[in-house]
Amino acid sequence: MSRFFIKVFVPGPFFEPLTYASDVLIDAGVRVQVPLGSREIIGICAGKADTSEVLETIKSVVTIIDEKPIISRQHQALVDFASDYYLAPPGDLLLSSLPTTLRKGKPLPKPKTETGHNNSPTYALTNEQQHAIDSVDQKANQFQCFLLQGVTGSGKTQVFSELIHRTIRRGQQVLLLVPEIGLTGQMVARIQDQLDGELAVSHSGIADGARTKAFVASAEGIADVLIGTRSALFTPLPKLGLILVDEEHDGAYKNQEGCRYSARDLAIVRAQQTGIPVVLSSATPSLETWQQAELGKYIRLRLSARPGQQPRPTIRLIDARHDKPKDGLSEAARRAIRHAIDHDQQALVFLNRRGYSPVLMCTDCGWIPGCKHCDAKPTLHRQPDSLWCHHCDHRQRPVTVCPECSGLNLLAVGHGTERLEEALTESFPDVPIIRVDRDTTARRRAFEQLIQPVIDGNPCILVGTQMLAKGHDFRKLSTVVVTDADQGLSGADFRSLEHFAQLLTQVAGRAGRHGATGQVLIQTHRPDSEWFERILRQDYDYLATAMLRERQQFDWPPESHLALITARATTSAPVFEALGAIAHQIRALNCPVRVLGPAPAPMERRNRQYHGQLLILGKRSLIQWVLKETGPWAYKKQGKVMFQLDVDPWDLW
């Protein structure tokens, strides 16, 4: 019997497929079980190997799992690009792009979708919405990137629904990406309501089996629309005709484990490879996207007003130096919340800090407990009662006696969402308080269950973090209170101000989307900050221009491109020796890039290890060349020092 040699992508530090022997020829894209060292693992066939030699050392394929390929050429092309650009092993990317059950070698299940309700829209399209739809539709079957920039509540989802309808009518599929699991529920409901076709949903918050059925339905062309988070980007869609990226500015599109890819950027690449349009949607575009639109490389489509002449919310500052907050809330904020409740409306109190209190302090000697594994102060939680480090997840019982002076006067300083919830319960005992943060939404479907009363329109007060800041459409929400706006103005990261402005604009946009005029109250000790003045104008172009001008002065992205090399070890010295050697190696290349560092990470000691970093700034092509000359970076280790590469990092932590 003739023997064939095939190439197989396997997980691990392999930038090329490994060669295995087989008694039959196996198609590219088929899952196989192969030996690797002492283990047997799942790999993806990459086709026939060029070699014709019969080598005794080549191991044989153990099992052929699939009858036909589950990885399409389109899927493989996207992985190949991502592997080359982010310098990540293609086997890791390929396997991680599959649902868990398929990675484990389970057989393909029957596909499953949800049927659209095919209802008519509740209101007519505005002229701006119609123009946006027609502009994208005119570019069907050719690549073009659009920026759909609309004020919050301007009906971007209605534009999505009509574009989906037209794409399905042409016999094509649509991929709709949302940044977070919490946004999928409402997006699915709103799209499904007007959808004349089949819909599939994919994200880590649903069961593995359901996710796999959605993968199969999409890959077989049964699902007309796939809605999912960043991992859904890699799902095979043989008739893909349009990609939509909602809230394109959101950092959740940047993967922070394994290959640090940007799903937004790869969505543009996938659209270009497929020859189809892609729409990036946001009220507050990232500066990278906004600049591309300014340069004319992306076509900007504006939605400047809310449908039905609904006005934008009024925004005003509360000077916390004079109206001093009690338990986190000023008197003006309490009056506004009471007014909303008395008029059968809802209020949102926003604080981007979970837990009860960020600091526990002895008032006798000033002692503050620290995390024994990090350069961080643990957050005091009441549910469960603990000092909890949000960086390494270490928990310990709260201290009742100061270990420095044996004092008993321990004070919880500052507010988290737990403490704010407690204060609101005392101030408004007759009103349901709904807290939405990572702690209350850890269970599967907990988010949907928590916000259902809000969607139903029941009078209530929402307390939450950035999980509530974008994408949600609560019909009765009229009042938003931002309790601690100052923390966003003093971040160490060069993107801190951009993220703060986006977050503030997005959370303000939840107010007054239907019916009652919205109001937003921002508590601050720095009301004279020039950035608050710019934010109050509610003109994002004006704000983006100012931020971009500041970036240009220091040649930070998007004026240049950036790569971040981090190193970690159990002691500090080896980290900086290793990073110093890499910096010397890069500088020896005499390439016109800037090398900053090595320097300690913003939090040097984290989760029992010391972290240092090296920044490379310059043209994209030059950075890529430098990284490939000094790589490979995947699984890179020098002694006890482990490295991590992040191309186009979202932050520097």
Side-chain angles (χ1 to χ4, degrees):
M1 182 178 295
S2 61
R3 298 271 284 173
F4 298 95
F5 294 99
I6 64 166
K7 297 179 290 184
V8 178
F9 286 114
V10 298
F14 310 107
F15 280 84
E16 297 293 336
L18 305 184
T19 301
Y20 289 89
S22 172
D23 293 332
V24 296
L25 193 59
I26 305 172
D27 292 333
V30 168
R31 289 178 299 158
V32 292
Q33 187 176 14
V34 295
L36 183 65
S38 59
R39 302 173 295 146
E40 290 185 353
I41 62 170
I42 305 300
I44 306 292
C45 180
K48 186 179 179 181
D50 294 332
T51 181
S52 58
E53 296 182 46
V54 179
L55 301 177
E56 296 296 331
T57 56
I58 293 182
K59 298 179 180 180
S60 297
V61 171
V62 177
T63 307
I64 302 172
I65 299 172
D66 304 308
E67 294 181 359
K68 58 182 181 180
I70 67 167
I71 302 294
S72 64
R73 290 183 179 179
Q74 186 185 92
H75 187 163
Q76 185 66 58
L78 184 64
V79 167
D80 288 344
F81 176 91
S83 172
D84 180 70
Y85 185 76
Y86 295 104
L87 282 79
D92 278 352
L93 269 169
L94 267 177
L95 271 298
S96 65
S97 70
L98 296 176
T100 303
T101 57
L102 299 186
R103 291 202 297 270
K104 293 180 178 179
K106 299 289 180 65
L108 293 174
K110 292 182 178 180
K112 186 177 180 180
T113 58
E114 301 177 34
T115 303
H117 302 150
N118 197 21
N119 293 324
S120 300
T122 55
Y123 54 83
L125 295 170
T126 66
N127 290 336
E128 287 182 325
Q129 287 174 321
Q130 191 65 59
H131 171 72
I133 293 163
D134 292 340
S135 298
V136 177
D137 201 43
Q138 289 170 6
K139 296 292 184 178
N141 301 315
Q142 57 180 299
F143 170 69
Q144 178 62 56
C145 187
F146 294 89
L147 168 59
L148 181 62
Q149 184 178 341
V151 299
T152 52
S154 58
K156 294 185 286 292
T157 304
Q158 187 58 50
V159 173
F160 282 3
S161 289
E162 181 59 29
L163 287 172
I164 289 170
H165 174 73
R166 295 190 181 192
T167 305
I168 293 175
R169 200 165 55 192
R170 290 194 294 269
Q172 296 176 313
Q173 295 171 291
V174 179
L175 171 62
L176 169 53
L177 296 179
V178 294
E180 294 182 2
I181 295 171
L183 296 177
T184 56
Q186 275 201 326
M187 181 62 77
V188 167
R190 290 154 73 181
I191 295 298
Q192 188 176 16
D193 183 61
Q194 298 177 32
L195 178 65
D196 182 15
E198 299 297 313
L199 179 145
V201 181
S202 176
H203 58 75
S204 60
I206 61 177
D208 291 339
R211 199 173 179 184
T212 307
K213 290 175 182 178
F215 180 93
V216 175
S218 303
E220 293 184 357
I222 297 170
D224 298 300
V225 181
L226 173 65
I227 300 178
T229 49
R230 63 174 178 261
S231 60
L233 172 73
F234 292 97
T235 305
L237 293 153
K239 300 181 292 182
L240 184 60
L242 176 67
I243 299 177
L244 305 170
V245 182
D246 192 32
E247 309 292 357
E248 67 82 29
H249 67 276
D250 199 288
Y253 284 122
K254 180 72 172 178
N255 191 38
Q256 297 294 348
E257 296 179 359
C259 173
R260 299 199 170 187
Y261 66 85
S262 165
R264 177 202 63 196
D265 295 347
L266 288 183
I268 298 170
V269 172
R270 183 169 185 179
Q272 190 172 30
Q273 290 177 338
T274 312
I276 59 172
V278 55
V279 179
L280 310 181
S281 168
S282 178
T284 55
S286 65
L287 286 190
E288 285 81 2
T289 298
W290 188 85
Q291 186 188 56
Q292 292 293 88
E294 286 292 293
L295 295 173
K297 295 180 180 179
Y298 298 171
I299 296 177
R300 179 186 272 117
L301 305 170
R302 291 192 184 275
L303 301 179
S304 58
R306 292 177 167 184
Q309 304 303 311
Q310 183 68 23
R312 296 193 204 180
T314 58
I315 303 179
R316 66 187 178 94
L317 300 180
I318 298 176
D319 190 341
R321 297 171 301 184
H322 300 119
D323 188 354
K324 295 184 183 298
K326 180 184 176 183
D327 294 328
L329 289 172
S330 62
E331 282 303 314
R334 293 176 195 274
R335 289 194 299 269
I337 294 170
R338 173 50 67 184
H339 183 270
I341 298 300
D342 289 347
H343 287 78
D344 199 35
Q345 297 291 315
Q346 299 165 342
L348 165 61
V349 181
F350 176 78
L351 175 62
N352 203 26
R353 186 191 297 124
R354 65 191 236 262
Y356 186 83
S357 173
V359 176
L360 183 67
M361 183 179 70
C362 174
T363 58
D364 293 332
C365 70
W367 173 83
I368 297 174
C371 175
K372 64 180 182 180
H373 303 312
C374 302
D375 292 334
K377 307 301 182 187
T379 299
L380 178 64
H381 281 250
R382 294 300 188 204
Q383 303 168 1
D385 198 16
S386 62
L387 284 170
W388 185 351
C389 178
H390 293 167
H391 299 278
C392 70
D393 210 35
H394 175 73
R395 305 184 202 187
Q396 64 188 67
R397 290 184 178 180
V399 180
T400 56
V401 179
C402 175
E404 293 291 327
C405 70
S406 300
L408 301 177
N409 297 315
L410 296 171
L411 177 67
V413 181
H415 291 77
T417 49
E418 277 187 23
R419 191 171 189 176
L420 208 50
E421 177 189 25
E422 180 182 274
L424 287 164
T425 301
E426 292 177 1
S427 298
F428 303 94
D430 57 327
V431 184
I433 311 296
I434 301 173
R435 176 164 61 92
V436 180
D437 55 28
R438 196 186 305 174
D439 300 327
T440 61
T441 59
R443 292 180 294 105
R444 184 170 287 172
R445 299 195 179 279
F447 184 89
E448 290 83 356
Q449 294 170 3
L450 273 174
I451 67 169
Q452 192 57 51
V454 189
I455 296 173
D456 293 341
N458 301 330
C460 62
I461 301 173
L462 273 166
V463 182
T465 59
Q466 62 180 348
M467 297 178 71
L468 291 173
K470 62 252 179 183
H472 301 292
D473 188 17
F474 301 133
R475 302 185 68 86
K476 286 292 192 74
L477 181 61
S478 64
T479 301
V480 170
V481 176
V482 180
T483 62
D484 186 8
D486 298 329
Q487 61 174 314
L489 291 177
S490 54
D493 192 283
F494 74 94
R495 284 199 176 96
S496 293
L497 187 59
E498 177 187 358
H499 296 163
F500 169 68
Q502 290 167 339
L503 189 60
L504 205 57
T505 304
Q506 290 285 340
V507 73
R510 299 314 105 204
R513 296 166 72 96
H514 304 273
T517 301
Q519 61 172 334
V520 182
L521 285 73
I522 301 174
Q523 295 181 174
T524 174
H525 290 85
R526 300 170 60 185
D528 52 353
S529 167
E530 61 178 338
W531 290 107
F532 277 130
E533 183 271 327
R534 289 164 176 163
I535 291 169
L536 289 176
R537 290 176 61 139
Q538 298 194 63
D539 182 349
Y540 190 75
D541 286 348
Y542 174 78
L543 190 60
T545 300
M547 290 190 291
L548 190 61
R549 191 182 305 120
E550 191 175 81
R551 299 272 186 92
Q552 289 170 338
Q553 291 178 358
F554 301 100
D555 198 32
W556 284 103
E559 285 304 298
S560 63
H561 291 275
L562 181 65
L564 173 66
I565 300 171
T566 57
R568 67 182 191 274
T570 53
T571 56
S572 177
V575 168
F576 294 100
E577 289 175 7
L579 286 174
I582 291 170
H584 177 74
Q585 186 181 2
I586 293 173
R587 292 182 176 112
L589 294 173
N590 291 321
C591 182
V593 296
R594 292 169 59 199
V595 181
L596 304 181
M603 183 180 294
E604 183 177 4
R605 190 171 66 96
R606 188 168 70 251
N607 198 15
R608 299 182 176 89
Q609 293 191 315
Y610 288 84
H611 295 71
Q613 58 187 31
L614 199 66
L615 291 172
I616 309 172
L617 286 91
K619 292 184 178 179
R620 189 195 304 270
S621 58
L622 295 178
I623 289 177
Q624 285 284 308
W625 180 79
V626 164
L627 292 174
K628 287 170 183 176
E629 285 294 309
T630 55
W633 284 99
Y635 298 89
K636 187 166 184 175
K637 190 174 181 182
Q638 184 173 318
K640 295 183 179 180
V641 179
M642 285 294 300
F643 296 92
Q644 172 72 55
L645 173 66
D646 192 349
V647 180
D648 303 332
W650 189 72
D651 59 38
L652 302 183
W653 284 87

